[in-house]
Amino acid sequence: MRFAPSILAADLADLASALQVCESADADFIHFDVMDGHFVPNLTFGAPVARALAQRTSIPLDVHLMVSDPRSMLDDYLDAGCARIAVHWEAAVHLDGLLTHIRNADARAGVAINPATPVEALSAVLPIVDFVVLMSVNPGFGGQPFIERSIAKVARLHQLIERAGHEVEIEVDGGVDTPNIAALSRAGAATFVVGSAFFGSSDPVTKAAELRRAVAEAS
Ligand code: DX5
Ligand code: ZN
């Protein structure tokens, strides 16, 4: 399992401490939610903040672009040293080109899909994608309740990937916590974005261990 704390749920006035907590918890990635106030009704961080974080930690940044025009800002995040970048299927008119661009820059290319977007929409890009961010809440805010039918959706996506014979990692984002992480893992998810359940915990390091244990016991 790969554990990706979402920095959106941290104390935004103290991101350096948030990075230390992620390091203590052996995080595999730092999930970085970019919102443009247009694709989603919220504004968060930009590439200068991503660059500053990438310079402070050796944990790879996992950028989730919730923006209407991903092409216009892709190079900024690639230049900032982000290891993984996901664009939304619903926002990317020229998805094939964007994914190829990310890969050509030696980063890992991801596609994020909203809860209402069927996994079958991904069929054509599976050969050129490294990971799928399957949203288990509607994007825009942290701390929302997990959409239960996402578990069945992960299973369908996993089946689609297996049948096509591709190596594509499934990342789940939104409301992930102890009650759902084992089922998500059994359904085929490999990477888990955890925001409020991690940073909102009184003991995030113990929380991360609890989540890892739940996944280990599920397999
Ligand atoms: C939602 C973001 C998520 C969010 C996850 O739009 O994409 O990454 O930060 O946070 P929790 O775990 O609180 O749902
Ligand atoms: Zn996200």
Side-chain angles (χ1 to χ4, degrees), residues 6 8 31 33 35 64 66 135 139-144 173-175 193-196:
S6 171
L8 180 65
H31 187 77
D33 286 310
M35 303 185 188
H64 178 190
M66 285 164 276
M135 294 300 303
F141 301 92
Q144 301 182 78
D173 184 10
V193 176
V194 186
S196 32

Side-chain angles (χ1 to χ4, degrees), residues 1 20 45 56 72 86 98 107 135 157 169 171 189-190:
M1 93 95 130
Q20 280 172 6
F45 330 96
R56 278 279 185 114
S72 66
L98 294 188
M135 294 300 303
L157 176 58
E169 166 197 341
E171 174 172 322

Side-chain angles (χ1 to χ4, degrees), residues 74-163:
L74 218 43
D75 287 335
D76 292 342
Y77 288 94
L78 292 167
D79 291 345
C82 300
R84 298 158 53 94
I85 303 181
V87 296
H88 260 270
W89 183 89
E90 301 81 6
V93 182
H94 301 292
L95 183 57
D96 185 294
L98 294 188
L99 295 171
T100 304
H101 188 75
I102 296 169
R103 280 183 151 190
N104 286 346
D106 281 335
R108 309 281 281 173
V111 182
I113 54 168
N114 283 338
T117 302
V119 296
E120 289 74 18
L122 297 168
S123 307
V125 289
L126 286 180
I128 55 163
V129 75
D130 296 303
F131 64 106
V132 173
V133 181
L134 192 148
M135 294 300 303
S136 39
V137 297
N138 284 291
F141 301 92
Q144 301 182 78
F146 178 77
I147 298 174
E148 286 294 331
R149 61 184 186 281
S150 310
I151 297 168
K153 197 172 167 186
V154 169
R156 282 202 306 282
L157 176 58
H158 183 65
Q159 202 174 49
L160 196 73
I161 292 168
E162 294 277 293
R163 281 194 187 147

Side-chain angles (χ1 to χ4, degrees), residues 1-6 18 21-31 59-60 62 84 169-172 176-178 181 189-199 201 203-213 215:
M1 93 95 130
R2 288 171 168 187
F3 178 54
S6 171
V21 173
C22 293
E23 281 165 11
S24 304
D26 274 331
D28 297 279
F29 307 121
I30 306 281
H31 187 77
I59 303 175
D62 179 51
R84 298 158 53 94
E169 166 197 341
I170 303 177
E171 174 172 322
V172 186
V176 176
D177 199 353
T178 318
I181 199 165
T191 300
F192 303 90
V193 176
V194 186
S196 32
F198 178 68
F199 284 109
S201 161
D203 183 354
V205 174
T206 302
K207 183 70 189 183
E210 176 189 310
L211 294 171
R212 285 189 193 278
R213 202 167 41 246
V215 170

